[in-house]
Amino acid sequence: MDLLEYQGKQLLGSVGVPTPAGEAAETSDEAEAAATRIGCPVAVKAQVQVGGRGKAGGIKVAQTPAQARAAAEAIIGMDIKGHHVHRVWLEPAADIASEYYASFTLDRSAKKYLGMVSAEGGVEIETVAAESPEKIALVHIDPLLGLRNFHVRRLLFGGGIPKEQHKPMANVLTKLYQAFVELDAELVEVNPLVVTASGEIVALDAKVSLDDNAEYRHKETFTAFHEIFATDPQEKIAKEKGLNYVKLQGNVGIIGNGAGLVMSTLDVVAQAGGKAANFLDVGGGANAELMANALELVSGDPQVKSIFVNIFGGITRGELVAQGIVDALKSVDIRQPIVVRLDGTNAEEGRRILADNPNENLHSSPTMLDAANMAVQLGA
Amino acid sequence: MDLLEYQGKQLLGSVGVPTPAGEAAETSDEAEAAATRIGCPVAVKAQVQVGGRGKAGGIKVAQTPAQARAAAEAIIGMDIKGHHVHRVWLEPAADIASEYYASFTLDRSAKKYLGMVSAEGGVEIETVAAESPEKIALVHIDPLLGLRNFHVRRLLFGGGIPKEQHKPMANVLTKLYQAFVELDAELVEVNPLVVTASGEIVALDAKVSLDDNAEYRHKETFTAFHEIFATDPQEKIAKEKGLNYVKLQGNVGIIGNGAGLVMSTLDVVAQAGGKAANFLDVGGGANAELMANALELVSGDPQVKSIFVNIFGGITRGELVAQGIVDALKSVDIRQPIVVRLDGTNAEEGRRILADNPNENLHSSPTMLDAANMAVQLGA
Amino acid sequence: MAIYVNQETKVVVSGLTGREGRFHALRNRAYGTQVVAGVTPGKGGQDVEGIPVFNSVREAVDETGANTSLVFVPPPFAADACLEAADAGVDLVVCITEGIPARDEAEVYAYLQQTGVEMIGPNCPGVISPGKCNIGIMPAEICKEGSIGLVSRSGTLTYQVVHELTQHGLGQSTCVGIGGDPVIGQYHIDVLRKFEDDPETTAVVMIGEIGGDEEERAAEFIKTMTKPVVGYVAGFEAPAGKKMGHAGAIISGSKGTAAAKAEALEAAGAKVGRNPTEVGQLMANLVQG
Amino acid sequence: MAIYVNQETKVVVSGLTGREGRFHALRNRAYGTQVVAGVTPGKGGQDVEGIPVFNSVREAVDETGANTSLVFVPPPFAADACLEAADAGVDLVVCITEGIPARDEAEVYAYLQQTGVEMIGPNCPGVISPGKCNIGIMPAEICKEGSIGLVSRSGTLTYQVVHELTQHGLGQSTCVGIGGDPVIGQYHIDVLRKFEDDPETTAVVMIGEIGGDEEERAAEFIKTMTKPVVGYVAGFEAPAGKKMGHAGAIISGSKGTAAAKAEALEAAGAKVGRNPTEVGQLMANLVQG
């Protein structure tokens, strides 16, 4: 789960990383009141799960509460790279002396944690990486060894942090690492990590991504932050029903088992000249009920003109898939043609069930390619 | 540092291991008053840094404060395996339902931590190990991985702990391990770890040894516990002067550099028919002052009839050793004959210094064996 | 021979008494796999259709000589089961469990590396050497004994490709589902190395997906291989993967797209099929033509 | 050849700018050892009599090709320096520092094992291959190039025995002081294995002490060695070692006494000297007679 800036800062603050106090606001009224309480000048910042806010005009500094109201009015409702701005975050405008970059993440290739520090903060770190990679310290950390003093020294010296900042920066890095591990974060990134004119270190921005698989260890955090995010209504239903669903732009509804096979199905549909309306993975061990739910969900999308059910049974058993399709056709009003391709565990039994329950909207096809062609033609 | 029972229990209690509340007493008056406060029946237990107290009569149960006074009178002043009892510990006598054994230590051979659990607690664990080793669970723990659930399960199942005790015992084991690591202990041993008639788990005895090398991380603990131990006055002086000194029973005083060489020197003196009066290692990099201190200390022992100084210079430089001897002979009234054997770094220079400062008590010898023989003869 | 598993493989199943563990372990045994033990703490002494259950993996290994662990326990306990298996001295851990936190996976990997134990998964379908041994959830009936090696991140996509191969009469030496999680025990490149060294394998199918740079790294190794490789990458049309923030892009040095991966494989000399059917055809051409 | 260190050894000294580090590193260099770098955080860019100082071991390794770390930093920072050296990719860490907490040592060992880096010490005098390389605090002038391998827990006792050997004209291939701390990187048995495989070593002196069971374990290996071994054990008259409580006795399965150790060595076929002089004589008889 990608957190909004202010959510990330709250979490980092809770382990002792210095962050500015501030307030969130969803209306210009709220923003003006918040600016009054915080004291001006304040920064008014769009809260979206995407980078590049500043360039897009999503961050403004206000000298008065009235300016803050105007800024909030301009920012709330903006669309930044496809993300609608629902709220802003207000915090005291910082008097910045220097800007650093610091992050911890998991390096999949090295199978270790990776710490990164650079004195070139405040700009996009990709730019620094491309133009002067020697200005970024990259340090791998063994997950069992954990962050040790030598790692911290390598980050500080390698990242070009001035010596007089080493001690407080070491403290901040240790806490960022602690947050990264204890929160089960995929990424903890602070850019810029600023030194103010008065010499304090403050995390001025924060990008924190939490590991969804670790939700059971952080129930409260996930619950608190989940409700914030407005989700596509169909994606929300899918989540409730345990379906892995993503809305796409085409007109062929896709239902399959296993992310790899579903991705392959999207590709094959494209190769057949069509376009998938969605990604839907029913996962391993799909039963009749799950299949029926999947069909109901996909057929409920007005863009969908035909549906391609592509199942290769492993744990998933063909007869249960077939039964789910038959059930769905009885209980749900499905108008789109459905092309079913069943293979693997108990596929023959499943095909027999489909044959025993004929329906004019139901088509079978023996191979993935033929089925894709048929689904595309039926949806044209 | 080997802690007394009650000191160990205090430390274990501080991390959450359940231990009985109690009081220490150094006199029978104190013991009676403590027993009154605690409430009878109370156990009155000798506090010594050695096992086998029970058999030696160092533990008595008192039904009344008067009995507690009598017990303390009997126990305080006892000699248990060469250890003088200075104080007793009083605690409520436990109503024991079952007795277990649990410990964590470092296994030097495996270079890992070792956890041990047995349902056969309350007796000497060596006896269990000898007679029915299958009743002890021995589980190695990787220091970086730390104690994990599977280790705990292996200890509980392997140690034969009844299933209904697994949950609370797992909790106690986790805390014992935490204590072992956080205190930098060499050993944390609870025997017996009892389940009382009312179903509570309590550490009824505790043997905790702390790593002297980690003193700098546990200043307060070491300071608090050090003062308790009465030390041999000469050993105390040695400690203050940075000398590694142990009193022995013979009459040849020994001064050497490096524990291995000093041990070898003791052996060679024995082979020459003598007996060492002490072990004294001046360590690496001994200078003139340290040598003079060493000579003063050893010559001050009334049992010492001759002194054997055996130095093989590495970091230690021969001329400084010689200078220290010469200085000591001038400032300290040394009546015993001294045999010096100098080799290694700057040995020739050292021998020259000794030759330039003749003294009737000072003898030189070129080899370790000859020197040993001479020292033994001079001390006879 | 085959890689990872063969007739000598003796499996201890962590979570044997659970629904999934029981179902698949019995299926594996029915295929001929030596499933010699199960582990469920507190159920030691019981058995599952004749397979003895122990309280710990150590005990199971000591009593039955098991050398391979198959893990079916739920996510909160799966990492511990993997660590336990490694500690007990098995040679290989195959972890099927889906949904293990990445931190747990990273810790497990570090410990396994230290103990010299290999791991397949987590979040994988397992591994099958057709005719010899099947561990995990792959449907063995679609496989056929032969000399094609197959490695894939994905389960059902593996089945699809195996199906295509088998329909061409092309049997498999070993099919390895390495799993798609952030930290997995064996990457494509690790499996390719083993296929290259395996005398029973004559050609290899490698199935990739969008995300990460593992396929690109594998491509570097394919350049040095003596055995032909047919590749397939899924996800040309897939929604953009989960964003890992700016840090991710720097680490991988890859765009992570299906097109970039397919290109890297082709540049390394692999034939790349556009879909599973074409993969089967390309391999048939290679081997038979 | 020789073991652990030779003419190819390039040393980076952690703590070079400290009093002890400077003194011994310069002595090592004067002996002919390639001391190529030092590390003191914050002093990068300085030099010690021409030896460049870096802020991190990684930097030192990258810039100078150092392959061996020599650690002289005080106990609270020594474990970190050892970990840093291993992380930086050296092959060998020699840690002289005395007084490191056992927990730190145990953690260092676990990490070094994982990274495949060997360690000598801590709390050891170092290692010398006479005529080739000297790392640590051993007085090189008492050594002589030759073919006797020597391994010992203790420093000055090592010097004494080397002295006796040299006086008999018996030179040494390598002398290894393994240190006497609870957790050390190399035990007697590890060093004996290397001597057995080293073509330049023809016979071995092994010096033990009371406590632990390492000498007994080494004796088991000596039984299988083709090269003759002369043993010596110090501590027949020594005060009883520090009590490790009941647990210790169970672990080691050894009484830990000098007599038991000497007996084990003799039972394994080693000649055992009663004192350092006799060790020299026994070796002279073996080699020359």
Side-chain angles (χ1 to χ4, degrees), chain C residues 51-254:
Chain C
I51 305 170
V53 176
F54 298 91
N55 287 322
S56 72
V57 181
R58 179 71 63 114
E59 219 183 318
V61 165
D62 288 349
E63 297 288 323
T64 67
N67 54 21
T68 300
S69 152
L70 176 59
V71 175
F72 268 112
V73 304
F77 314 110
D80 192 62
C82 294
L83 294 170
E84 180 183 9
D87 186 71
V90 300
D91 303 321
L92 175 69
V93 178
V94 178
C95 183
I96 308 300
T97 308
E98 180 180 354
I100 302 176
R103 168 155 62 99
D104 292 8
E105 294 181 347
E107 291 187 359
V108 166
Y109 181 77
Y111 187 64
L112 264 66
Q113 192 190 17
Q114 186 182 318
T115 49
V117 178
E118 285 190 313
M119 178 159 187
I120 295 176
N123 190 13
C124 82
V127 52
I128 179 169
S129 293
K132 303 189 179 82
C133 181
N134 183 21
I135 294 187
I137 63 175
M138 286 206 235
E141 55 278 11
I142 59 168
C143 299
K144 176 180 149 75
E145 203 168 342
S147 67
I148 310 294
L150 186 146
V151 52
S152 168
R153 282 207 218 168
S154 136
T156 45
L157 189 50
T158 303
Y159 313 160
Q160 180 69 41
V161 173
V162 166
H163 181 66
E164 307 278 0
L165 291 173
T166 298
Q167 290 203 320
H168 280 285
L170 299 170
Q172 302 91 40
S173 55
T174 304
C175 304
V176 186
I178 58 175
D181 273 2
V183 182
I184 50 178
Q186 301 282 293
Y187 284 123
H188 285 105
I189 192 169
D190 303 309
V191 183
L192 289 175
R193 279 208 185 92
K194 290 197 195 272
F195 279 136
E196 175 72 2
D197 293 341
D198 175 34
E200 285 189 28
T201 301
T202 55
V204 181
V205 173
M206 169 180 150
I207 305 173
E209 282 175 22
I210 49 165
D213 68 341
E214 289 315 312
E215 289 79 359
E216 285 86 340
R217 303 203 312 159
E220 284 306 302
F221 179 71
I222 289 172
K223 286 181 188 165
T224 72
M225 283 178 71
T226 60
K227 299 177 184 177
V229 175
V230 174
Y232 174 65
V233 180
F236 283 81
E237 299 293 318
K242 194 158 186 194
K243 280 180 288 306
M244 280 294 293
H246 295 213
I250 295 174
I251 304 164
S252 74
S254 152

Side-chain angles (χ1 to χ4, degrees), chain A residues 65-80:
Chain A
Q67 277 183 18
R69 160 183 282 276
E73 226 153 55
I75 294 172
I76 294 171
M78 273 179 77
D79 183 281
I80 299 179

Side-chain angles (χ1 to χ4, degrees), chain D residues 50-240:
Chain D
I51 305 170
V53 176
F54 299 90
N55 288 322
S56 72
V57 181
R58 179 70 63 114
E59 220 183 316
V61 165
D62 287 350
E63 297 290 323
T64 69
N67 54 21
T68 300
S69 153
L70 176 59
V71 174
F72 268 111
V73 304
F77 315 108
D80 193 61
C82 294
L83 293 170
E84 181 183 9
D87 186 71
V90 301
D91 302 322
L92 176 71
V93 177
V94 179
C95 182
I96 308 299
T97 309
E98 180 180 353
I100 302 177
R103 169 153 63 98
D104 293 9
E105 295 182 346
E107 291 186 358
V108 167
Y109 181 78
Y111 187 64
L112 265 66
Q113 191 191 18
Q114 186 181 318
T115 49
V117 177
E118 285 189 315
M119 178 158 187
I120 295 176
N123 190 12
C124 82
V127 52
I128 179 169
S129 293
K132 304 189 178 82
C133 181
N134 183 21
I135 294 186
I137 63 175
M138 287 205 235
E141 54 279 12
I142 58 168
C143 299
K144 176 179 149 75
E145 203 167 341
S147 68
I148 310 292
L150 187 145
V151 53
S152 168
R153 282 205 219 169
S154 137
T156 45
L157 189 51
T158 302
Y159 312 159
Q160 181 67 41
V161 173
V162 167
H163 180 65
E164 305 278 0
L165 291 172
T166 300
Q167 290 204 319
H168 281 283
L170 299 169
Q172 302 90 41
S173 55
T174 304
C175 304
V176 187
I178 57 175
D181 272 2
V183 182
I184 49 178
Q186 301 281 294
Y187 284 123
H188 284 106
I189 192 169
D190 303 310
V191 183
L192 290 176
R193 279 208 185 91
K194 290 196 195 276
F195 279 136
E196 173 73 2
D197 293 342
D198 176 33
E200 283 189 31
T201 300
T202 56
V204 180
V205 173
M206 169 179 151
I207 305 173
E209 281 175 22
I210 49 164
D213 69 340
E214 289 315 312
E215 289 80 0
E216 284 85 340
R217 303 204 310 160
E220 284 305 302
F221 179 70
I222 290 172
K223 286 183 188 166
T224 70
M225 283 177 71
T226 60
K227 297 178 184 175
V229 175
V230 174
Y232 175 65
V233 180
F236 283 82
E237 301 292 317

Side-chain angles (χ1 to χ4, degrees), chain A residues 112 138-145 148-151 153-154 157-158 163, chain D residues 40-43 55-56 58-59 77 80-81 83-84 87 107 111 114-115:
Chain A
K112 290 179 176 174
L138 286 95
V139 175
H140 282 108
I141 301 147
D142 180 271
L144 291 180
L145 186 65
R148 301 281 170 145
N149 288 336
F150 78 88
H151 294 120
R153 289 196 304 271
R154 282 186 56 207
F157 283 109
K163 260 189 219 174
Chain D
T40 302
K43 297 198 174 168
N55 288 322
S56 72
R58 179 70 63 114
E59 220 183 316
F77 315 108
D80 193 61
L83 293 170
E84 181 183 9
D87 186 71
E107 291 186 358
Y111 187 64
Q114 186 181 318
T115 49

Side-chain angles (χ1 to χ4, degrees), chain B residues 140 142 144-145 148-151 153-154 157 163, chain C residues 41-42 55-56 58 80 83-84 87 107 111 114:
Chain B
H140 281 108
D142 180 272
L144 292 179
L145 186 65
R148 300 280 171 147
N149 288 337
F150 78 87
H151 294 121
R153 288 197 305 270
R154 280 186 56 209
F157 283 109
K163 261 188 217 175
Chain C
N55 287 322
S56 72
R58 179 71 63 114
D80 192 62
L83 294 170
E84 180 183 9
D87 186 71
E107 291 187 359
Y111 187 64
Q114 186 182 318

Side-chain angles (χ1 to χ4, degrees), chain B residues 233-244:
Chain B
Q234 237 151 340
E235 289 189 2
K236 205 168 168 183
I237 295 170
K239 201 176 153 62
E240 283 164 16
K241 308 223 161 173
L243 300 167
N244 186 0

Side-chain angles (χ1 to χ4, degrees), chain B residues 16-337:
Chain B
V17 177
T19 51
E23 291 185 39
E26 296 196 358
T27 66
S28 48
D29 281 352
E30 284 176 22
E32 186 173 0
T36 309
R37 280 189 294 271
I38 293 166
C40 285
V42 289
V44 184
K45 304 161 88 174
Q47 298 300 295
V48 277
Q49 292 163 304
V50 68
R53 291 176 302 176
K55 278 190 194 152
I59 301 181
K60 297 186 192 296
V61 173
Q63 301 299 334
T64 63
Q67 278 184 18
R69 159 184 282 276
E73 227 153 54
I75 294 172
I76 294 171
M78 274 179 78
D79 183 281
I80 299 179
K81 297 186 187 171
H83 291 250
H84 184 82
V85 181
H86 291 278
R87 63 178 65 188
V88 292
W89 173 251
L90 297 98
E91 67 188 15
D95 189 1
I96 299 170
S98 36
E99 298 183 285
Y100 305 140
Y101 171 93
S103 71
F104 289 99
T105 185
L106 172 71
D107 181 349
R108 295 170 67 128
S109 300
K111 309 188 191 189
K112 289 179 177 175
Y113 302 147
L114 178 69
M116 288 197 263
V117 165
S118 175
E120 305 284 308
V123 293
E124 288 199 357
I125 196 67
E126 291 94 329
T127 312
V128 183
E131 288 171 8
S132 35
E134 77 285 356
K135 289 188 173 166
I136 306 175
L138 287 98
V139 174
H140 281 108
I141 301 146
D142 180 272
L144 292 179
L145 186 65
L147 185 76
R148 300 280 171 147
N149 288 337
F150 78 87
H151 294 121
V152 175
R153 288 197 305 270
R154 280 186 56 209
L155 287 168
L156 296 175
F157 283 109
I161 304 301
K163 261 188 217 175
E164 63 275 15
Q165 296 294 347
H166 278 201
K167 219 170 160 176
M169 274 290 286
N171 183 33
V172 169
L173 289 178
T174 304
K175 283 176 173 156
L176 282 178
Y177 179 80
Q178 186 193 339
F180 170 73
V181 172
E182 287 179 6
L183 298 170
D184 277 294
E186 291 172 338
L187 172 69
V188 162
E189 184 180 61
V190 177
N191 187 19
L193 179 60
V194 306
V195 180
T196 65
S198 59
E200 282 169 298
I201 295 189
V202 183
L204 211 59
D205 195 357
K207 185 174 287 172
V208 176
S209 284
L210 302 182
D211 180 357
D212 292 329
N213 280 350
E215 178 166 353
Y216 71 90
R217 290 204 279 241
H218 309 279
K219 281 276 180 219
E220 287 179 26
T221 304
F222 273 78
T223 308
F225 292 156
H226 254 319
E227 55 181 340
I228 304 292
F229 303 118
T231 339
D232 175 277
Q234 237 151 340
E235 289 189 2
K236 205 168 168 183
I237 295 170
K239 201 176 153 62
E240 283 164 16
K241 308 223 161 173
L243 300 167
N244 186 0
Y245 174 91
V246 181
K247 180 82 187 86
L248 299 173
Q249 303 307 321
N251 61 2
V252 180
I254 306 286
I255 297 172
N257 64 328
L261 184 62
V262 179
M263 280 198 282
S264 179
T265 307
L266 305 186
D267 294 348
V268 170
V269 165
Q271 286 164 18
K275 202 83 186 156
N278 66 275
F279 170 103
L280 197 168
D281 173 14
V282 295
N287 56 23
E289 193 191 343
L290 205 66
M291 275 307 298
N293 285 337
L295 269 174
E296 187 175 351
L297 181 74
V298 171
S299 65
D301 177 353
Q303 278 193 280
V304 167
K305 303 295 178 232
S306 68
I307 300 173
F308 178 9
V309 178
N310 188 17
I311 300 289
F312 205 112
I315 317 187
T316 305
R317 286 147 65 188
E319 84 278 20
L320 298 180
V321 170
Q323 195 54 55
I325 296 171
V326 170
D327 292 352
L329 284 171
K330 281 179 189 153
S331 62
V332 186
D333 181 24
I334 299 180
R335 296 192 214 164
Q336 299 97 331

